[in-house]
Amino acid sequence: MLLAPYACILRYARINQVETTDCPTGGQLYRTYCLSLRLLLPGMELMASSSSSSSRASSSSSSTRASSSSSSVTSSSSSSSASSTATGTVTSEVQTWKSVVIGAGGFIPGIVFNPTQKGLCYLRTDIGGLYRLNTADDSWIPLTDHVGDANWHDWGIDAVATDPVQPNNVYVAVGMYTNSWDPNNGSILKSTDQGSTWTKYNLPFKVGGNMPGRGMGERLAIDPSNNSILYFGARSGNGLWKSTDAGVSWAKVTNFPDVGTYIPDPSDPYGYNTDIVGLTWVTFDPSLKTSSGTSRIFVGVASLGAANIYQTTNGGSSWTALPIFNNTLIPHKGILSPSEGALYVTFANGAGPYDGSAGRVGKYNITAGTWKDITPPQAITDNYYGFGGLAVDLQKSGTIMVAALNEWWPDANIFRSVDGGTTWSPLWEWNGYPTINRYFGLDNSLAPYLGGPLSNQDVSLKLVGWMIETLSIDPFDSNHWLYGTGATVSGGRDLLKWDSSHNVTIKAYAAGLEETAVLGLISPTAGTAHLLSVVADIGGFLHTSLSTPTKAFATPTYGTTSGIDYAGNKPSQVVRVGNVPSDTNPQVALSNDYGATWSIDYAAPVPSSNAGYAGGTIAYSANGDTLLWSSSGKGVQISKYQASFTAVAAIPSGAAIASDKVNGTALYAASGANFYSSADTGTTWKTTAVSGLTTATWVAVNPFKAGELWVSGDGGIFHSTDYGTTFAALSSCTRGWNIALGAPKTTGGTPALYAAATVKGVTGLFRTDDQVNWIQIHDATHGFGATSSLVLAADPRIYKRVYVGTNGRGIFYNSNAA
């Protein structure tokens, strides 16, 4: 199990390889950087062309819960003229989309209960959109599945606010990145029906739902005394903003004195950590108000060495700094306890969610204007983590809970006080190292990849979690609590037992919540499972059931797993490749039983001592005797009969690769405008220039017929029936990304082709049964996010069945397939 899984940056690892650095060893953490953004540019360009200030979008209001030595290399060259067939038609076909159930799988930065309507709760993710709690069964209802290619960054939720006056109203601040990775400004989305439909109001600056500090908050808040007033704390030095017309228009609060100065890492060459984190949270105190709204408002700011919490007592006419609590720490959360007249604040010395090695908990007496350090003594003794998650029980005065933000070993801890922070009790504690006392039971049945059941003294698994930036107690039920981790949402419904027997049950409440960033999918021609997946952060899965979660691939375990393939003539043989550069195990694993069990392929060098041998994609020859591995670190490598991997000089680094699924000696690759083919299992390679293609993206093959293949790229999709000697361009398609071939419409016919593509000017998900006419299968309620990031696998055994891997919303499949 990973020590510090991450849900970070860009996991588009098909052509532009994702490189992972600083992998966890002991207390280290993950950081992910995408080396190129070419895959995103088409979607970005579409977004940039949109200038409307307001638009309507609908989302599904029903839950999609599970009912989801070096070889001799030579090269020859020829050219192929791609001819286009007659222009085809584009129609649409209604699909019933469901989620393949994994159970969460990503960072949960925010959980917010409505204070006036019982059971109303929202959960925001960093790259997978917004959810609402289904109180009937504690599952989650996705509210932003309408997001598609043109508005892909709306899955980045930097803040959520639920209206205390009109509970049907909910607002979210959306946008993925504030650096160059996302060229578009952010927006405020407003719903007046609890997320069933949305109206968008554009902001004049960027919003960073997947940027550092995304677990702070909430940055967006509604005035409980006048719900037409909202405040938003912006990033990037943009300061504090206010709306007086329920989010329709926004103006900068020019007299607010601080925009924040904290930058996580000014020297970061990728630009991800070089932006100002900005304002961190806004909290209203309705005990001081006028007829026009709340007079006292608190605002947290990400700054070190200076004041970083401000208040107004006159509705924003003027602002003053609170006394400095600790000038080495940043305020992560600020929550009011009305009955105590106190503001509780958690602090850390970094922005989170990965960093932070020190922290404190402060209690501000509003009347006296003084601070009290109420940090749990155990945390002071430990002295190696900050604090993030903070909850106040509105039914029990003085009852609060705080979460260690980055206590990487042996586990995160949560502390509870029932006397306003005078005394604390932990969720676990040492009883003379190495003996550990855990005051909880565990139920991870909805996210079994997390591990368990609880073993008495085992400290190898992180049972509580990691990256806990959000922690909430239901304002109507003191037994009900939820918190977010780097992989799921957990909590329970017996919280008051903490105060009596000091033993609670922690459950992963992952039903309906799917947040994996999918990096590879296969659907073999045989075997019990129709689908195998590899994903960022939590490895990969053999999906023997699409509606029931299962444990992740193991022995070996790779956190992020970036590629997977099967041998066409021997489909029980499967290969996967990990992307953990600091690992002391080789990153290639083999299975002989359809992916049920695995063994390490020691032909691959150990990446920790051989830099570059991690990540990328991998292809298995049809007879299961040869592996072709393409990575950004080592280019294209080949291994025959489990001999050492050697470089394939004929193929450029980062090339798309594939194996023929019938001919055991045929291997393929594509890069730039060229297609590469080998008829002798990679000993020699032939180069063919594909007319109309400039930048190849993907290679897919007919699973039933030798020599038939397709190449996608910036010029569309190109079809060959002669091992890539000649190509014909598919009609109407002007851009292709991931493509997959599945069961044909008629037995023995041309396989159905599924494509993430632009067809007749529309970018999205399509199927063609005849290579001429297209059927659009995305729709207004299922946009699948950025088209360029989609990963597809078509089922060779079920006509019309396609599996769609997204960058943040897990895997979808159409359950109404024939």
Side-chain angles (χ1 to χ4, degrees), residues 703-774:
F704 313 109
K705 181 180 178 181
E708 185 171 24
L709 57 96
W710 292 257
V711 178
S712 65
D714 57 343
I717 299 174
F718 303 85
H719 179 209
S720 174
T721 58
D722 52 12
Y723 293 90
T725 300
T726 61
F727 284 91
L730 270 60
S731 67
S732 307
C733 179
T734 55
R735 181 66 169 96
W737 290 278
N738 203 285
I739 51 178
L741 283 301
K745 185 175 182 179
T746 58
T747 302
T750 300
L753 169 70
Y754 301 84
T758 300
V759 177
K760 289 198 171 182
V762 176
T763 298
L765 187 61
F766 297 86
R767 185 186 84 240
T768 177
D769 294 328
D770 59 10
Q771 310 293 302
V772 176
N773 300 297
W774 294 90

Side-chain angles (χ1 to χ4, degrees), residues 336-342 344 363 391-401 416-422 473 475 478 496 499:
L336 191 77
S337 176
S339 63
E340 297 178 276
Y344 289 97
K363 181 179 183 179
V392 172
D393 190 336
L394 295 179
Q395 292 192 348
K396 294 183 174 295
S397 182
T399 296
I400 60 173
M401 298 174 69
R416 180 175 169 91
S417 173
V418 295
D419 53 15
T422 301
I473 300 173
S478 296
L496 292 179
D499 308 326

Side-chain angles (χ1 to χ4, degrees), residues 21 227 311 333 364 642 759:
T21 61
N227 68 333
Q311 74 165 329
K333 301 281 185 180
Y364 181 71
Q642 293 189 255
V759 177

Side-chain angles (χ1 to χ4, degrees), residues 561-587:
T561 308
S562 59
I564 189 167
D565 196 18
Y566 72 96
N569 294 331
K570 299 179 179 181
S572 62
Q573 294 186 211
V574 186
V575 61
R576 59 185 167 102
V577 58
N579 190 12
V580 187
S582 66
D583 203 338
T584 56
N585 282 321
Q587 296 296 285

